Amino acid sequence: MPITSVDKDLTHLTMTVVADFPAPLTRLWDAYADPRQIERFWGPPEWPATFTRHDLYPGGRSEYYMTGPDGDRSHGYWEFTSVQQGHSFEVIDGFAAENGQPNQEMPSMRMVFTFEETSTGSRLTNTTFFNSLKEMEQLVSMGMEEGATAAMGQIDEVLEDLTSFAADRALTAQMLSPTQVRISRIIRGAPQQVWNAHHDPELLTRWLLGPEGWKFTDCQVANAVDQTFRYAWADANGENGFALTGEVRESDPPHREVFTESMEDWDGPPTLNEQTLTAVKEGTLLTLVITYATEEQRDTVLATGMTDGMETSYARLETELLSAA
């Protein structure tokens, strides 16, 4: 058990949990920065978490739910008010409705996570600030302390896993729900570099090509909300062409972009794509959550070999960034 102390201060309305880990500081930080990792320990063992959004930057937001033994879900959110890369972050933490919006009937709280290097590894100090004694007593009575203790007891196992989230691992695709897929890959380069590579036509046409031999026939880039994009390709013989089109819904460079996407001349609703770029030790964690209209649409698209083509392109992107550096 990594927890070394739990202190509840009724005068200052705080609860502080301190935990020590035999792992480097950067390894502990990355476990909190990566949605694939944090969801393996944020919820207690009997209430595992699923993060559908995780934007670790000032002004960013996380949305998650924990699933109980009977299938019941408890939704929550974080609003990031401060981030000191590799050292600390502060969030407003609260309960949420199924659509991710704050549940106004339940209290929210401020939480500060501080990461420090120690002689044996690293230390996490998590301080929760409550709005009132009544709210503090309510949340503690709901099992907040026991839940935090049980959740932190799972971190060691995640930190010891040095292969599942390694920078040299190929793209992974995780089914979040019948209509949602999360694509993840670490790309060796800074978030700004990766963002630029997605929005500069000269760079984009050098890596977003899928299988070897394919080439762009049209590259219209969208760089702001409400702008539309169109990317078209053909094989080495100039045949078998296809095009993707879409519109930007949200843009927060160089961290997050939300856009629709559909295949031209394909009869089906567009997907909603939420892309987040997060700085980690080995580069940038690219996370792409794709929401499909139906489970059938999801399976049809994935069956095309889409993820194989994405991995080939991301590997090419990484090579381009490294060669430029």
Side-chain angles (χ1 to χ4, degrees):
M1 180 64 66
I3 292 180
T4 57
S5 68
V6 179
D7 177 45
K8 294 190 290 293
D9 186 332
L10 300 182
T11 301
H12 296 94
L13 302 178
T14 61
M15 184 175 78
T16 301
V17 180
V18 179
D20 288 287
F21 304 92
L25 177 63
T26 53
R27 179 69 192 91
L28 180 60
W29 175 270
D30 284 356
Y32 275 82
D34 186 340
R36 300 171 301 173
Q37 298 185 54
I38 192 173
E39 67 184 14
R40 285 175 54 178
F41 62 79
W42 182 246
E46 64 275 14
W47 282 82
T50 299
F51 276 72
T52 57
R53 177 175 176 177
H54 191 50
D55 307 335
L56 185 58
Y57 64 88
R61 181 180 176 87
S62 292
E63 296 176 0
Y64 66 91
Y65 60 85
M66 295 183 290
T67 305
D70 297 327
D72 295 335
R73 288 183 176 182
S74 175
H75 294 259
Y77 70 91
W78 286 353
E79 294 176 354
F80 288 89
T81 57
S82 174
V83 177
Q84 298 294 323
Q85 180 66 28
H87 299 287
S88 68
F89 63 84
E90 180 177 323
V91 300
I92 301 299
D93 172 85
F95 295 85
E98 188 173 350
N99 62 4
Q101 294 303 304
N103 182 347
Q104 302 296 344
E105 297 180 358
M106 293 294 292
S108 62
M109 64 212 86
R110 182 167 65 94
M111 301 180 71
V112 178
F113 296 78
T114 303
F115 301 77
E116 303 173 84
E117 187 174 1
T118 67
S119 59
T120 57
S122 54
R123 171 174 295 164
L124 169 65
T125 302
N126 173 210
T127 303
T128 301
F129 297 82
F130 301 92
N131 297 314
S132 68
L133 180 59
K134 179 181 178 180
E135 290 188 0
M136 180 178 182
E137 291 175 339
Q138 177 186 0
L139 291 168
V140 170
S141 69
M142 291 172 61
M144 181 176 178
E145 180 180 348
E146 294 80 5
T149 301
M152 280 197 175
Q154 305 171 100
I155 302 181
D156 277 333
E157 183 178 351
V158 176
L159 297 178
E160 290 169 1
D161 186 350
L162 301 178
T163 58
S164 297
F165 316 107
D168 58 358
R169 185 174 181 181
L171 171 152
T172 59
Q174 179 183 352
M175 305 299 179
L176 298 181
S177 76
T179 58
Q180 276 191 323
V181 177
R182 181 171 62 209
I183 306 295
S184 305
R185 194 188 196 279
I186 292 178
I187 297 173
R188 291 181 176 86
Q192 186 67 61
Q193 290 178 299
V194 179
W195 179 276
N196 292 344
H198 279 80
H199 295 85
D200 182 334
E202 182 181 352
L203 296 173
L204 197 64
T205 53
R206 287 159 52 184
W207 69 269
L208 189 59
L209 300 170
E212 294 296 331
W214 283 71
K215 53 190 175 182
F216 267 97
T217 57
D218 187 28
C219 183
Q220 301 176 38
V221 177
N223 283 304
V225 173
D226 295 334
Q227 289 187 359
T228 58
F229 65 86
R230 183 179 188 272
Y231 306 144
W233 300 266
D235 63 20
N237 298 319
E239 301 173 345
N240 301 309
F242 70 97
L244 294 176
T245 62
E247 179 180 307
V248 177
R249 296 283 182 83
E250 299 177 30
S251 182
D252 192 357
H255 304 292
R256 176 176 167 83
E257 186 173 48
V258 180
F259 55 95
T260 62
E261 185 176 82
S262 59
M263 184 175 293
E264 217 169 59
D265 301 323
W266 185 71
D267 186 20
T271 62
L272 183 69
N273 297 5
E274 302 172 71
Q275 181 167 285
T276 301
L277 305 179
T278 304
V280 294
K281 179 185 177 183
E282 299 295 337
T284 295
L285 172 64
L286 183 150
T287 304
L288 178 65
V289 177
I290 306 174
T291 302
Y292 297 89
T294 64
E295 184 175 0
E296 181 182 12
Q297 183 191 21
R298 182 202 71 182
D299 293 342
T300 298
V301 173
L302 292 179
T304 64
M306 176 190 76
T307 55
D308 292 335
M310 293 176 71
E311 168 56 26
T312 300
S313 291
Y314 286 146
R316 191 182 292 115
L317 165 59
E318 189 173 62
T319 300
E320 288 289 340
L321 292 181
L322 291 175
S323 64

